């Protein structure tokens, strides 16, 4: 199992998913409940709160409870928690035990995503949240997206996204064409920043249906894929599509190309469960609802092809004795670099010996 890097920011939800309904998600084996406080004044959005999703009394899930203003009232016997996780009232007695509190997690809402910090709260630096500004920049980009859970080790999803030659085989007829697998790529690794960049520039490629139908380009294309993976969670694929031979201007402007930012957030839930957040942002056909519906549905089908493949791969790996020998080739360079960085980040965020998350047996991570 790929070790968890604890002292990192993770996407817990899209901002639009967190409101006045309690939302339960398990992130790095920790059950967390999310909600939004009441905003000040009419229509104002409040801030996002993240609390441990287990009541201190008998561990009833707070996500199955209810809100009273900005407080969570446990659905079993009514222990009531404020936004800091402090229990402020219990039934049948005036005195609230001093130890009655649940963990409150640091949360940042940025670029339309809700990020949560799982590790040591003293290390949570909200200036270190990786950015995906296109997601919230509706003047320049129109975005569609979703989230699909996968029953696999999150490392399998990282492998999958860092090598797009699988598009030719797994996503043929959708986004894959022969040129993707046939074109060599370059890989750059910034170990210090924990960023892996994988680029593949195709000068003369078939236009897959995903782009033919959205851009209207007929004929062959110049297709660039520039991946930027900010370990552990944020993956950006800068995709540039243009009629064959059309290049950006020397000043960097690029009016005759179509640009698509494909964003993934890879959030480990448990050792064999991962949240696969995906979004497709385009700089053309802004606000065109028909195009948005096409890109959403088509891309979801592509995502589901990966989901099915990774569910199958996880089951297959589990059915075999441990210690099998993988065989890696050039296309795996980015994925192997990502694994190295994840292992290092996990080591940095390791718990002190003997410490465990409440309720989880030692060794479960
Ligand atoms: S379990 Fe929450 S109040 Fe009893
Ligand atoms: Fe894929």
């Amino acid at each position: 199992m790929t070790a968890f890097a604890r002292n990192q920011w993770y996407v817990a939800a899209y901002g639009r998913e967190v409101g006045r309904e309690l939302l339960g998600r398990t992130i790095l084996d920790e059950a967390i409940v999310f909600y939004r406080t009441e905003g000040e004044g009419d229509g104002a959005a409040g801030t996002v709160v993240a609390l441990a999703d287990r009541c201190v009394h008998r561990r009833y899930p707070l996500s199955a409870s209810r809100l009273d203003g900005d407080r969570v009232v446990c659905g079993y016997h009514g222990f009531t928690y404020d936004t800091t996780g402090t229990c402020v009232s219990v039934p049948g007695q005036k005195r609230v035990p001093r130890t009655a509190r649940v963990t409150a997690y640091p949360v940042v809402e940025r670029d339309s995503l809700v990020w949560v910090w799982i590790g040591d709260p003293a290390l949570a630096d909200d200036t270190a949240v990786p950015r995906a500004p296109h997601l919230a920049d509706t003047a320049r980009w129109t975005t569609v997206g979703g989230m699909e859970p996968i029953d696999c080790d999150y490392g399998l999803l990282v492998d999958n996204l860092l090598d797009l030659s699988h598009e030719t085989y797994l996503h043929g007829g959708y986004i894959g064409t022969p040129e993707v697998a046939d074109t060599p790529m370059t890989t750059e690794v910034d170990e210090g920043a924990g960023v892996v960049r994988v680029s593949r520039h195709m000068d003369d490629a078939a236009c897959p249906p995903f782009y033919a139908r959205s851009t209207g380009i007929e004929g062959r294309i110049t297709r660039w894929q520039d991946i930027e993976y900010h370990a552990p969670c944020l993956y950006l694929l800068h995709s540039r599509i243009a009629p064959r031979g059309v290049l950006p201007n020397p000043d960097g402007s690029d009016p005759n190309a179509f640009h698509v930012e494909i964003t993934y957030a890879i959030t480990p839930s448990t050792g064999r469960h991962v949240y696969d957040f995906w979004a497709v942002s385009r700089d053309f056909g802004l606000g065109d609802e028909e195009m948005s519906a096409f890109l959403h549905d088509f891309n979801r089908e592509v995502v589901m092809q990966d989901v099915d493949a990774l569910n199958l791969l996880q089951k297959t790996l589990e059915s075999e004795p441990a210690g099998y020998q993988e065989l890696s080739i050039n296309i795996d360079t980015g994925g192997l670099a990502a694994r190295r960085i994840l292992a290092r980040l996990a080591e940095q965020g390791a718990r002190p010996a003997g410490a465990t998350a409440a309720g989880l047996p030692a060794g479960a991570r």
Side-chain angles (χ1 to χ4, degrees):
M1 185 197 123
T2 310
F4 291 157
R6 291 182 55 79
N7 285 322
Q8 298 292 330
W9 291 101
Y10 287 95
V11 172
Y14 291 105
R16 62 175 181 268
E17 292 182 283
V18 183
R20 301 290 296 162
E21 298 282 316
L22 294 161
L23 172 72
R25 292 244 152 105
T26 298
I27 298 175
L28 273 61
D29 274 337
E30 308 212 3
I32 303 177
V33 60
F34 297 88
Y35 65 96
R36 197 178 285 280
T37 59
E38 289 175 319
E40 314 244 322
D42 274 0
T47 56
V48 178
V49 178
L51 302 178
D53 190 17
R54 296 291 179 268
C55 178
V56 289
H57 180 221
R58 293 292 182 265
R59 299 191 59 71
Y60 192 77
L62 295 180
S63 56
S65 301
R66 69 174 175 87
L67 283 174
D68 176 9
D70 288 341
R71 295 174 167 179
V72 185
V73 182
C74 178
Y76 198 179
H77 317 93
F79 275 45
T80 299
Y81 301 90
D82 69 13
T83 57
T84 69
T86 303
C87 182
V88 292
S89 89
V90 297
Q93 61 184 58
K94 281 236 156 41
R95 198 187 68 81
V96 177
R98 253 188 317 123
T99 54
R101 58 166 52 245
V102 296
T103 302
Y105 295 84
V107 180
V108 173
E109 191 167 8
R110 193 159 291 158
D111 303 327
S112 83
L113 300 170
V114 174
W115 293 82
V116 66
W117 179 271
I118 303 296
D120 179 353
L123 301 177
D125 170 7
D126 64 12
T127 63
V129 172
R131 301 301 306 267
H134 49 276
L135 292 178
D137 182 355
T138 51
R140 291 184 53 209
W141 300 93
T142 295
T143 299
V144 295
M147 187 278 282
E148 312 300 333
I150 314 178
D151 289 321
C152 77
D153 181 332
Y154 81 98
L156 297 187
L157 182 56
V158 175
D159 279 354
N160 170 282
L161 290 170
L162 268 285
D163 167 34
L164 297 180
S165 38
H166 80 268
E167 287 185 353
T168 303
Y169 300 95
L170 193 57
H171 307 303
Y174 287 79
I175 53 173
T177 68
E179 296 82 10
V180 181
D182 286 349
T183 307
M185 59 214 199
T186 58
T187 304
E188 271 175 45
V189 184
D190 183 338
E191 296 275 353
V195 176
V196 181
R197 292 191 169 82
V198 180
S199 291
R200 178 181 266 128
H201 287 193
M202 294 160 263
D203 297 331
D204 179 7
C207 191
F210 184 78
Y211 289 118
R213 285 182 56 184
S214 56
T215 66
I217 297 182
E218 290 170 8
R220 295 181 67 84
I221 55 171
T222 292
R223 180 179 185 187
W224 292 358
Q225 295 177 322
D226 294 289
I227 296 170
E228 218 181 292
Y229 173 51
H230 297 255
C233 190
L234 185 69
Y235 170 101
L236 306 173
L237 166 60
H238 312 292
S239 176
R240 176 185 184 275
I241 307 292
R244 181 171 52 134
V246 172
L247 296 175
N249 295 325
D251 66 1
S253 62
D254 197 14
N256 298 315
F258 297 84
H259 302 90
V260 178
E261 294 285 327
I262 298 183
T263 309
Y264 281 88
I266 303 163
T267 301
S269 176
T270 68
R272 66 182 310 290
H273 195 70
V274 56
Y275 297 117
D276 179 5
F277 293 89
W278 59 271
V280 175
S281 311
R282 63 181 191 269
D283 72 349
F284 52 93
L286 298 183
D288 178 336
E289 283 178 23
E290 209 173 303
M291 191 185 294
S292 291
F294 165 71
L295 287 172
H296 175 276
D297 296 353
F298 205 82
N299 200 67
R300 182 164 185 281
E301 278 187 62
V302 170
V303 169
M304 291 313 292
Q305 291 167 340
D306 285 316
V307 170
D308 291 345
L310 296 182
N311 282 338
L312 173 64
L313 183 55
Q314 176 75 32
K315 276 199 193 128
T316 307
L317 295 175
E318 281 172 355
S319 71
E320 292 175 346
Y324 57 88
Q325 186 68 45
E326 291 180 317
L327 193 160
S328 298
I329 59 169
N330 286 342
I331 58 168
D332 302 306
T333 311
L336 293 174
R339 288 187 191 178
R340 270 200 315 277
I341 290 173
L342 290 173
R344 178 172 56 77
L345 295 178
E347 223 161 85
Q348 285 170 357
R351 288 168 179 281
T356 58
L360 281 164
R365 24 222 64 236

